[in-house]
Structure formats: structure tokens, C-alpha cells
Amino acid sequence: MAFVELSSESEVHSALRLHHSCLYGRRINVERTVGGGSACEKRQSRIGLLREKQGAQMSRKVRELVEEALPAACEAEEGQVTREDFDERAVEFLLSVSPPVAEAAIAEMAGLNLSGVRNRSAWLMGVLR
């Protein structure tokens, strides 16, 4: 475990984007922390709130990536992957991988033709895993 101090909020956000990325072949956690080293309930509660905030920010970022890369169902061409094909399970999965991997997966999905696939959400989850 290591702690780093960053000089600006933008550096903090850049570092938080590395959460669940790989470093020398190992998956790393990058999270905010609060001062103090005790395991008191107040500190644990504050850490829990920060983790929720970080998770919400990451979820929002994945949803933004999906919105930018994929058309809405009403705008899509026949067989094109749409925003609606990325259900909650797919978003949750993309949150478990590093941001560059999530971005690459979404970009790759944007170029697919799924006209022969009946259950697109299930198919996408199978491919993503």
C-alpha cells in the first residue's frame, strides 16, 4: 500500500482514472483517502462516501463514452450497436476494467454489425467478458 499527495484537483482526477488499471502486471486500486490512521467509524464512513463518489464519477464517465461513441436506437443504421444495447450489466463490467480498455471496447463495439443478433445486451456481455 502506498499514499501519494497530489498538488491539484486535476492531478487527483488524472490519478483516479488509473483505478483498476494494471501496473507491472498487477491490478491497482487508486482511491481518495481521509486523514488519520485509525479505523474509527467516522473515518470509515468518510472513506465509504469518497468511494461512492468515485464510483459515481467513473460510472458517469463510462456513460459519457457510450453516449459519444454510439448512436441512439432511433438514429442507428440497421444492425449498428446503440447506446441502449449497453445495459447496466455492461456498464458495470466496463467499470471493472481500466479506462483505456473500456474506451477501446466501446470504440470496437461502435463498428460492429449485429443485425443477426437477437439479444444484443447478452451478446455484448459475452464478448466483453
Side-chain angles (χ1 to χ4, degrees):
M1 183 182 314
F3 293 91
V4 296
E5 190 172 321
L6 302 168
S7 60
S8 70
E9 192 65 21
S10 66
E11 287 181 357
V12 170
H13 291 291
S14 294
L16 290 172
R17 283 196 295 269
L18 296 173
H19 185 60
H20 286 171
S21 62
C22 287
L23 179 66
Y24 298 114
R26 298 188 70 183
R27 187 170 161 177
I28 62 170
N29 291 321
V30 179
E31 300 176 314
R32 291 180 180 260
T33 189
V34 294
S38 69
C40 70
E41 188 175 317
K42 183 178 177 183
R43 182 176 181 275
Q44 292 300 319
S45 174
R46 289 175 59 198
I47 290 174
L49 290 173
L50 288 173
R51 285 180 178 156
E52 286 178 26
K53 181 179 176 183
Q54 180 178 347
Q57 288 173 339
M58 291 175 67
S59 179
R60 192 168 38 256
K61 178 65 176 167
V62 167
R63 291 178 204 292
E64 287 172 5
L65 290 170
V66 170
E67 292 281 324
E68 291 171 7
L70 302 173
C74 62
E75 303 167 347
E77 296 177 15
E78 178 66 31
Q80 190 175 15
V81 177
T82 67
R83 297 172 190 157
E84 292 78 8
D85 294 327
F86 273 82
D87 62 6
E88 287 302 313
R89 292 178 309 149
V91 171
E92 286 296 319
F93 177 80
L94 291 174
L95 289 172
S96 72
V97 298
S98 67
V101 171
E103 290 175 25
I106 293 168
E108 189 170 332
M109 295 297 166
L112 296 177
N113 183 328
L114 302 183
S115 57
V117 177
R118 289 186 186 187
N119 187 341
R120 291 178 172 197
S121 296
W123 188 88
L124 286 171
M125 280 304 299
V127 170
L128 287 171
R129 288 185 183 159

